[in-house]
Structures are given as C-alpha cells and as structure tokens.
Amino acid sequence: MTTYNVTVDETPLQFGLSGIEEIKQNIRTIIKTIMGTCPMRRDFGIDPIVIDMPTPAAAALLEVAALSAIEEYETRVQVTDIVVNIDENRLIPVVYFALREEE
C-alpha cells in the first residue's frame, strides 16, 4: 500500500487536476474551508471552534476535525496519520493517506 502526504498550505487552486493531485487538492480544500461558509453545504469543512483555542488545544482539535471531515468528504482515501506542525502560532497540518482501492 502506497502512502501519500499533503501539506495544507497556501498552494493555489488549480483546475483540471486528476488522480492523486486532485485528491491532495480536495484534502487541502476540506481543511482550509470553515464550516458554514460553503453555500448549499453548510456542514462542509472544519468547525470554526479551532480558531479561538490556545495553540496546543487547537492543534489537537484540528487533527480530530480534519480526520472526520476527510472521512466524510474524500471517501477515496484512508487517512493513516495527521501531524499538525506549529509555526509561530500558525497550524500547518500534514495529512498522510493511502488510496482505498489499493487496500
């Protein structure tokens, strides 16, 4: 089983992606979207409660919220790990995953 990873950063949205690059972009989009901001899909994204938490607590909550959201909205992957790096009070999640069809 091949393991991939994606860093949730400021990579710009690209159109026309396919395969693993499309999946990575979808994961970035899921985690960068604040729940309630997507019209017609208000439950999409991450709960905004993480925003106002102290950094260590926010990192832990972000891991849980990201795992839950990815499992719901990107069903082609199985998340194997999520590491939240802290850079000057900025949370930078790295998601490790495998494709479900490769299991």
Side-chain angles (χ1 to χ4, degrees):
M1 175 168 56
T2 305
T3 301
Y4 303 94
N5 71 70
V6 58
T7 300
V8 180
D9 54 15
E10 298 304 317
T11 301
L13 185 66
Q14 297 178 23
F15 295 96
L17 295 177
S18 61
I20 198 69
E21 293 306 315
E22 175 191 16
I23 292 171
K24 287 180 176 184
Q25 179 167 279
N26 291 349
I27 291 171
R28 269 191 225 96
T29 301
I30 291 166
I31 295 176
K32 288 169 59 173
T33 302
I34 300 299
M35 191 179 290
T37 61
C38 186
M40 307 300 288
R41 204 165 207 187
R42 296 290 181 193
D43 59 340
F44 181 83
I46 301 296
D47 191 329
I49 194 167
V50 221
I51 295 171
D52 292 327
M53 301 294 291
T55 305
L61 284 172
L62 181 57
E63 281 184 47
V64 173
L67 177 60
S68 177
I70 293 166
E71 285 178 346
E72 183 171 349
Y73 293 108
E74 186 49 85
T75 57
R76 296 176 287 182
V77 304
Q78 173 67 48
V79 175
T80 57
D81 195 17
I82 298 177
V83 176
V84 179
N85 298 313
I86 300 171
D87 180 33
E88 296 181 18
N89 292 323
R90 183 168 172 245
L91 303 179
I92 305 169
V94 180
V95 178
Y96 296 87
F97 63 93
L99 298 178
R100 287 193 186 274
E101 62 207 34
E102 292 183 2
E103 290 181 336

